[in-house]
Short mmCIF file of all heavy atoms in Angstrom, two decimals:
data_model
loop_
_atom_site.label_atom_id
_atom_site.label_comp_id
_atom_site.label_asym_id
_atom_site.label_seq_id
_atom_site.Cartn_x
_atom_site.Cartn_y
_atom_site.Cartn_z
N GLU A 15 2.77 14.31 -7.92
CA GLU A 15 3.81 15.05 -7.21
C GLU A 15 3.21 15.51 -5.87
O GLU A 15 2.01 15.71 -5.76
CB GLU A 15 4.27 16.29 -7.99
CG GLU A 15 5.13 16.00 -9.20
CD GLU A 15 4.31 15.70 -10.44
OE1 GLU A 15 3.09 16.03 -10.44
OE2 GLU A 15 4.86 15.13 -11.39
N ILE A 26 9.05 20.11 -3.35
CA ILE A 26 8.37 19.28 -4.34
C ILE A 26 9.12 17.97 -4.57
O ILE A 26 10.35 17.93 -4.68
CB ILE A 26 8.26 20.04 -5.69
CG1 ILE A 26 7.43 21.31 -5.50
CG2 ILE A 26 7.65 19.15 -6.77
CD1 ILE A 26 7.47 22.25 -6.69
N ASP A 43 16.25 14.17 -13.73
CA ASP A 43 16.57 15.39 -14.47
C ASP A 43 15.95 16.56 -13.74
O ASP A 43 14.72 16.64 -13.61
CB ASP A 43 16.02 15.29 -15.90
CG ASP A 43 16.31 16.54 -16.71
OD1 ASP A 43 17.33 17.18 -16.44
OD2 ASP A 43 15.49 16.87 -17.60
N MET A 44 16.77 17.47 -13.24
CA MET A 44 16.29 18.59 -12.44
C MET A 44 16.64 19.93 -13.08
O MET A 44 17.64 20.03 -13.81
CB MET A 44 16.91 18.52 -11.03
CG MET A 44 16.49 17.30 -10.23
SD MET A 44 17.28 17.21 -8.59
CE MET A 44 18.96 16.71 -9.04
N PRO A 45 15.87 20.97 -12.80
CA PRO A 45 16.19 22.30 -13.33
C PRO A 45 17.36 22.91 -12.57
O PRO A 45 17.89 22.30 -11.63
CB PRO A 45 14.90 23.08 -13.09
CG PRO A 45 14.31 22.44 -11.87
CD PRO A 45 14.64 20.97 -11.99
N VAL A 51 9.44 27.96 -12.82
CA VAL A 51 8.54 26.83 -13.09
C VAL A 51 7.10 27.33 -13.05
O VAL A 51 6.80 28.32 -12.38
CB VAL A 51 8.73 25.68 -12.08
CG1 VAL A 51 10.12 25.08 -12.20
CG2 VAL A 51 8.47 26.15 -10.65
N ALA A 55 3.16 22.61 -15.44
CA ALA A 55 4.12 22.49 -16.54
C ALA A 55 5.30 21.61 -16.14
O ALA A 55 5.66 21.50 -14.96
CB ALA A 55 4.62 23.86 -16.97
N GLU A 56 5.92 21.01 -17.13
CA GLU A 56 7.05 20.11 -16.91
C GLU A 56 8.28 20.89 -16.43
O GLU A 56 8.59 21.96 -16.93
CB GLU A 56 7.37 19.38 -18.21
CG GLU A 56 8.53 18.43 -18.15
CD GLU A 56 8.87 17.86 -19.52
OE1 GLU A 56 7.99 17.86 -20.40
OE2 GLU A 56 10.02 17.41 -19.70
N PHE A 57 8.97 20.31 -15.42
CA PHE A 57 10.22 20.94 -14.97
C PHE A 57 11.38 19.96 -14.95
O PHE A 57 12.52 20.34 -14.65
CB PHE A 57 10.04 21.57 -13.58
CG PHE A 57 9.90 20.59 -12.45
CD1 PHE A 57 11.02 20.01 -11.86
CD2 PHE A 57 8.65 20.25 -11.96
CE1 PHE A 57 10.89 19.12 -10.80
CE2 PHE A 57 8.51 19.36 -10.90
CZ PHE A 57 9.64 18.79 -10.32
N GLY A 58 11.13 18.70 -15.28
CA GLY A 58 12.19 17.71 -15.28
C GLY A 58 11.61 16.34 -15.56
O GLY A 58 10.50 16.21 -16.09
N ALA A 59 12.35 15.31 -15.19
CA ALA A 59 11.87 13.94 -15.42
C ALA A 59 12.56 12.98 -14.46
O ALA A 59 13.64 13.26 -13.93
CB ALA A 59 12.15 13.52 -16.86
N LEU A 69 8.16 15.30 -14.81
CA LEU A 69 7.84 15.93 -13.54
C LEU A 69 7.09 17.22 -13.83
O LEU A 69 7.56 18.06 -14.60
CB LEU A 69 9.12 16.24 -12.75
CG LEU A 69 9.91 15.03 -12.23
CD1 LEU A 69 11.29 15.48 -11.77
CD2 LEU A 69 9.16 14.35 -11.11
N ASN A 70 5.93 17.39 -13.21
CA ASN A 70 5.12 18.59 -13.39
C ASN A 70 5.04 19.36 -12.08
O ASN A 70 4.74 18.78 -11.03
CB ASN A 70 3.72 18.21 -13.88
CG ASN A 70 3.75 17.49 -15.20
OD1 ASN A 70 4.32 17.96 -16.17
ND2 ASN A 70 3.15 16.30 -15.24
N SER A 71 5.29 20.63 -12.14
CA SER A 71 5.30 21.43 -10.93
C SER A 71 3.88 21.68 -10.42
O SER A 71 3.01 22.09 -11.19
CB SER A 71 5.99 22.77 -11.17
OG SER A 71 6.03 23.52 -9.97
N PRO A 72 3.62 21.45 -9.14
CA PRO A 72 2.29 21.73 -8.58
C PRO A 72 1.99 23.22 -8.49
O PRO A 72 0.83 23.62 -8.47
CB PRO A 72 2.35 21.10 -7.18
CG PRO A 72 3.53 20.19 -7.20
CD PRO A 72 4.50 20.80 -8.16
N ILE A 100 12.83 16.78 -4.50
CA ILE A 100 13.57 17.02 -5.75
C ILE A 100 13.98 18.49 -5.88
O ILE A 100 15.15 18.79 -6.13
CB ILE A 100 12.73 16.57 -6.96
CG1 ILE A 100 12.51 15.05 -6.87
CG2 ILE A 100 13.44 16.92 -8.28
CD1 ILE A 100 11.57 14.50 -7.94
N ILE A 101 13.02 19.39 -5.73
CA ILE A 101 13.35 20.82 -5.80
C ILE A 101 12.58 21.60 -4.74
O ILE A 101 11.57 21.13 -4.21
CB ILE A 101 13.03 21.44 -7.19
CG1 ILE A 101 11.53 21.35 -7.51
CG2 ILE A 101 13.88 20.80 -8.27
CD1 ILE A 101 11.11 22.11 -8.75
#
Side-chain angles (χ1 to χ4, degrees):
E15 287 85 17
I26 299 169
D43 179 30
M44 296 178 285
V51 296
E56 179 186 338
F57 71 83
L69 293 167
N70 299 306
S71 182
I100 297 174
I101 62 171

